[in-house]
């Protein structure tokens, strides 16, 4: 990507970090604005009928507030919705039932504890396979004969268990009203840690029946979202509504336990899958029957099976696929989006299928993959589930990964350890993945303006919450204008300062938001070129950008006009905006290899290596891209080995804090060996695909595969995640499968 003298492709240090480290950019709970506190009274039973709620000073119920049902927001189907506060019934532990306002957080908590909610308990369901209420079904692909040409068919059940987003900063909102409750005029200012300020603005305007321009959303520093802060939460709507009603600033900050109970959990799929192949390992087809746990109210997660279907053939030439998926209601927290959102659920299963097939045919796991990978392509390729892969070189990623990791040597060491009956058995897992990025609307907003002093302001419709957009977007504008990135201010995350945008999720921000800035900056550079040509009486084609100086005739540095001078000469501001529309999604891909050691006496798993070759096309900032690889890998490994949101059979939650829910620290991981290949996408001017979710899609199946591989001598072919020492030990000592696999 980088040309000589280009700033693109360079690891510019994150300019946002200094302020974050010294508290220069506050989080919502640190804003020094006087506000009363809001605390929610929540259901402590999984399912039941509300008989009564004791009121009292500062206590409000659904009846008092009368807020319309909240929609999960696009792209979820329009019939998805939930009441802001429970009405009639409660659906899960943590379901907000009433809200309390008091002068301090301590007082609000005390009062909330004194509210008596009488509930007649109903049976709670946590097992999606026992649930009967279906809220969504993807359009099925009916191909009953998908496996007809197979010599061998492997059938298995894959459980992709629920995990919690667990961002470091819990949820919250600060609402400052300046609205006349009598006539509804005025404005409401909201500080919300969110990925999507414009969608929060829209939802709150709808629920409060205010005009959209009466709502001003500002996103303060946000301590991670991971997909879960992609839409407004009921507590944010209620707090906003109450602040208008009471005419005073209100602050709601969630506790860690509330966050664990309430913030959209993820994955939660049970998949019954069959893969069929010829005796030489060539796959002929797959059949999928998916049950998605939607939780108590259908939210984004109920709809994400759409992506699982789209990605159901992975990186492979699978000519026939039969697919159906239904989303069912249980008495658990609503299922939401979490890093990967629907795609890890496909990749993990396709990779498991490849491993099971290899085991069934007695083939090497890499060899069976090699035989089935889609050929290198720079033109789009359509899969049987309707995904249109933009560009890819899957074999190159896999061959590079196995080469770098020393696959053959590792297999030899594994054989040696097996031969000598080593207490520590080696496991090697290789997983190819492909995922879809640039999700949601295929467009986003960017603008560039050069001021009189030659400084530049860039506006962006996406909203960074850890990804480092301040840095990459300055690089992109700098590249086009030749103005040092330190003179470029990037503004986002404020609905008053930025006219429109769709937010940050689905690894869309660079390819859509970044391309919008690239195009807007190119337009400004053109304006300046034109102006310089007129002023210098030169041909516009002869005008060149002099980095750090301005524009002048190519080869004649003494003609250079500084940006200040150009701004002075311009009759209109040097400015442009762009709603860049990519028109299609992009498909980054890669290969992850995990090497683990299983202690056969304890079942403990030790990671020895984790290596990846990710391909997200051109990279603007390798430092940031690598940071994303690291974060994603950590979350991906954590799902395979530790994290699980556990509910008991009656839907009582068991993992409600970081004592029970095993969120890892950096100390738990081996070093990550991150590599990248570069297959640019033709879809945008940067040639860039997303990297934000690569790790959660690729790392999980590699680690799962590695642990199962270590257990092969014990007759284990499959084991459900998370692969805790107890589960590993039981599978090993039982001498069989920790899950359900059969072949015919
Ligand atoms: N980048 C790059 N070259 C590429 C692709 C990306 O230099 N070819 C850079 C981008 O400029 C950006 C970063 O890498 O600074 C991520 O870009 P992108 O892949 O476009 O992803 P988004 O910015 O849209 O971020 C969303 C993605 C998602 S969907 C989740 S979930 C996630 C993630 O990012 N949540 C995160 N990473 C996170 N990182 C942090 N710290 N916190 C979260 O909540």
């Amino acid at each position: 990507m980088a040309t000589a003298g280009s700033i693109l492709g360079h690891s510019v240090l994150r300019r946002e970090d200094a302020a974050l480290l010294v508290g220069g950019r506050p989080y919502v709970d640190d804003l020094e604005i006087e506000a009363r506190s809001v605390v929610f009274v929540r259901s402590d039973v999984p399912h039941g009928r509300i008989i009564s709620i004791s009121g009292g000073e500062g206590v409000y119920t659904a009846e008092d507030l009368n807020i319309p049902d909240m929609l999960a927001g696009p792209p979820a189907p329009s019939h998805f919705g939930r009441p802001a506060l429970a009405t009639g019934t409660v659906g899960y532990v943590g379901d907000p039932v009433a809200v309390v306002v008091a002068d301090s957080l301590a007082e609000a908590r005390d009062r909330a504890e004194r509210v008596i909610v009488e509930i007649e308990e109903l049976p709670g369901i946590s097992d999606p396979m026992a649930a009967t209420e279906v809220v969504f079904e993807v359009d099925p692909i009916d191909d009953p004969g998908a496996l007809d040409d197979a010599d061998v068919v492997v059938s298995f059940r894959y459980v992709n268990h629920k995990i919690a987003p667990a961002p470091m900063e819990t949820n919250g909102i600060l609402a400052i009203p300046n609205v006349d409750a009598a006539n509804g005029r005025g404005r409401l200012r909201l500080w919300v840690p969110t990925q999507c300020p414009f969608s929060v603005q829209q939802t709150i305007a709808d629920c409060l029946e205010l005009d959209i321009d009466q709502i001003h959303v500002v996103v303060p520093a946000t301590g991670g979202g991971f997909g879960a802060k992609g839409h407004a939460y009921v507590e944010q709507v209620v707090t906003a509504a109450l602040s208008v009603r009471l005419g005073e600033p209100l602050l709601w900050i969630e506790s860690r336990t509330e966050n664990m109970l309430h913030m959209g959990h993820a994955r939660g799929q049970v998949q019954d899958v069959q893969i069929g192949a010829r005796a030489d390992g060539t796959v002929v087809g797959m059949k999928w029957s998916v049950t998605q746990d939607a939780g108590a109210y259908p939210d984004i997660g109920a709809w994400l099976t759409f992506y699982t279907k789209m990605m159901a053939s992975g990186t492979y030439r699978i000519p026939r696929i039969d697919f159906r998926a239904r989303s069912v209601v249980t008495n658990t927290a609503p299922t939401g989006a979490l890093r990967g959102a629907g795609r890890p659920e496909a990749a993990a299963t396709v990779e498991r299928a490849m491993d099971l097939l290899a085991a069934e045919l007695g083939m090497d796991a890499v060899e069976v993959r090699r035989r089935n990978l889609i050929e290198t392509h720079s033109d789009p390729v359509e899969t049987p589930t309707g995904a249109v892969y933009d560009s890819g070189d899957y074999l190159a990623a896999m061959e590079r990964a196995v080469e770098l990791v020393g696959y053959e040597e590792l297999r030899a060491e594994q054989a040696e350890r097996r031969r000598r009956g080593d207490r520590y058995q080696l496991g090697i897992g290789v997983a190819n993945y492909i995922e879809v990025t640039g999700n949601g609307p295929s467009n986003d907003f960017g603008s560039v303006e050069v001021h009189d002093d030659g400084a530049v302001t860039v506006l962006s419709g996406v909203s960074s919450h850890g990804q480092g957009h301040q840095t990459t977007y300055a690089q992109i504008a700098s590249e086009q204008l030749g103005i040092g990135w330190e003179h470029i201010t990037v503004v986002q995350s404020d609905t008053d300062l930025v006219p429109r945008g769709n937010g940050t999720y689905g690894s869309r921000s660079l390819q859509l938001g970044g391309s919008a800035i690239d195009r807007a900056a190119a337009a400004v550079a053109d304006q300046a070129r034109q102006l310089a040509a007129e002023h210098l009486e030169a041909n516009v084609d002869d005008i060149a950008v002099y980095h750090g100086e301005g524009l002048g005739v190519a080869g004649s540095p003494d003609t250079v006009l500084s940006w200040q001078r150009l701004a002075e000469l311009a009759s209109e501001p040097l400015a442009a905006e762009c709603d860049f529309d990519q028109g299609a999604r992009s498909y980054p891909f890669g290969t992850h290899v995990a090497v683990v050691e299983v202690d056969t006496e304890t079942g403990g798993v030790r990671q020895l290596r984790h290596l990846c070759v990710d391909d997200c096309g051109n990279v603007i900032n390798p430092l940031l891209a690598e940071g994303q690889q690291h974060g994603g890998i950590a979350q991906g490994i954590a799902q395979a080995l530790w994290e699980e949101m556990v509910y008991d059979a009656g839907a009582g939650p068991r993992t409600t804090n970081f004592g029970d829910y095993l969120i890892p620290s950096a100390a738990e991981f081996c070093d990550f060996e991150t590599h990248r290949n570069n297959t640019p996408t033709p879809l945008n001017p940067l040639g860039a695909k997303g990297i934000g979710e690569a790790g959660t899609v690729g790392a999980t199946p590699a680690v799962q595969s590695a642990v199962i591989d270590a257990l092969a001598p014990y007759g284990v072919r499959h084991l459900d995640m998370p692969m805790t020492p107890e589960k590993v030990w039981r599978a090993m000592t039982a001498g069989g499968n920790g899950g359900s696999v059969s072949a015919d």
Side-chain angles (χ1 to χ4, degrees), residues 80-142:
F80 286 16
R82 64 171 296 166
L85 293 172
T87 44
T89 56
V90 288
Y92 62 102
V93 172
D95 201 352
V97 172
V99 57
V100 176
V101 180
D103 289 341
S104 70
L105 180 60
E107 194 189 330
R109 280 195 180 140
D110 283 351
R111 282 204 201 158
E113 287 203 353
R114 289 200 294 270
V115 174
I116 296 166
V117 184
E118 200 187 335
I119 297 177
E120 179 194 337
E121 272 198 66
L122 297 167
I125 297 178
S126 63
D127 177 5
M129 299 312 279
T132 51
E133 189 187 342
V134 176
V135 281
F136 180 68
E137 287 179 277
V138 289
D139 290 338
I141 303 174
D142 284 312

Side-chain angles (χ1 to χ4, degrees), residues 126-128 159-166 260-261 265-270 293 338 635-648 652-664 719-727:
S126 63
D127 177 5
V159 181
N160 206 316
H161 63 280
K162 271 196 168 180
I163 50 178
M260 293 300 292
L261 290 173
H265 298 152
R267 317 288 186 253
Q269 283 188 11
V270 179
D293 183 347
L338 171 62
Q635 281 188 304
I637 293 178
Q639 181 182 11
L641 295 180
W642 306 297
E643 291 187 33
E644 181 177 21
M645 189 65 214
V646 181
Y647 283 91
D648 64 24
R654 289 284 170 265
T655 44
T656 58
N657 57 52
F658 286 169
D660 307 321
Y661 188 84
L662 301 183
I663 197 149
L719 191 58
D720 285 331
M721 304 183 294
M723 309 173 97
T724 58
E726 181 184 347
K727 234 189 244 176

Side-chain angles (χ1 to χ4, degrees), residues 224-227 339 465-469 472 504-511 616 618-621 624-625 628 688-693:
F226 307 111
R339 211 168 194 170
H465 47 284
Q467 293 85 354
H469 298 168
T472 16
T504 289
Y505 54 92
S507 301
R508 65 194 301 281
S509 302
L510 178 64
Q511 58 197 289
C616 60
N618 291 334
V619 165
I620 302 302
N621 186 321
L624 292 176
Q628 290 298 320
K689 308 184 187 188
I691 188 67
E693 296 158 284

Side-chain angles (χ1 to χ4, degrees), residues 7-88:
I7 194 174
L8 303 187
H10 286 282
S11 290
V12 173
L13 293 182
R14 286 168 49 105
R15 57 201 312 221
E16 40 272 271
D17 287 351
L20 289 172
L21 289 171
V22 300
R25 197 168 164 228
Y27 294 85
V28 64
D29 198 19
D30 301 328
L31 292 165
E32 286 176 359
I33 296 174
E34 280 283 303
R36 296 180 79 207
S37 282
V38 169
V39 165
F40 286 81
V41 179
R42 296 172 187 274
S43 173
D44 56 7
V45 302
H47 190 200
R49 227 170 263 121
I50 301 173
I51 308 293
S52 65
I53 303 169
S54 71
E57 197 199 329
V59 178
Y60 304 86
T61 63
E63 269 174 33
D64 302 320
L65 294 178
N66 196 22
I67 296 172
D69 272 11
M70 227 180 106
L71 292 175
S78 57
H79 69 273
F80 286 16
R82 64 171 296 166
L85 293 172
T87 44

Side-chain angles (χ1 to χ4, degrees), residues 295-375:
Y297 302 99
D299 201 318
I300 302 286
W303 172 90
L304 287 172
T305 46
F306 168 82
Y307 282 131
T308 311
K309 171 181 150 187
M310 186 188 262
M311 302 314 299
S313 60
T315 51
Y316 305 105
R317 247 180 293 108
I318 301 183
R320 297 176 70 174
I321 291 190
D322 178 87
F323 191 100
R324 58 211 66 250
R326 61 192 185 115
S327 302
V328 296
V329 172
T330 63
N331 298 111
T332 62
T335 307
L338 171 62
R339 211 168 194 170
R343 293 99 82 195
E345 295 86 327
T349 306
V350 174
E351 292 309 300
R352 242 2 342 263
M354 285 293 164
D355 279 349
L356 288 168
L357 195 60
E360 188 58 30
L361 295 170
M363 282 174 71
D364 177 74
V366 170
E367 186 50 34
V368 84
R369 286 170 167 81
R370 213 173 257 136
R371 288 190 190 186
N372 288 287
L373 282 174
I374 297 172
E375 290 78 12

Side-chain angles (χ1 to χ4, degrees), residues 671-691:
D671 279 348
F672 302 152
E673 300 163 59
T674 51
H675 303 271
R676 281 187 306 276
N677 277 359
N678 183 357
T679 309
T681 178
L683 293 173
N684 62 61
L686 300 172
K689 308 184 187 188
I691 188 67

Side-chain angles (χ1 to χ4, degrees), residues 74-75 303 307 437-443 502 505-506 508 512 584-585:
W303 172 90
Y307 282 131
T437 63
N439 297 327
S442 61
N443 66 304
N502 293 310
Y505 54 92
R508 65 194 301 281
L512 304 179
R585 301 172 169 111

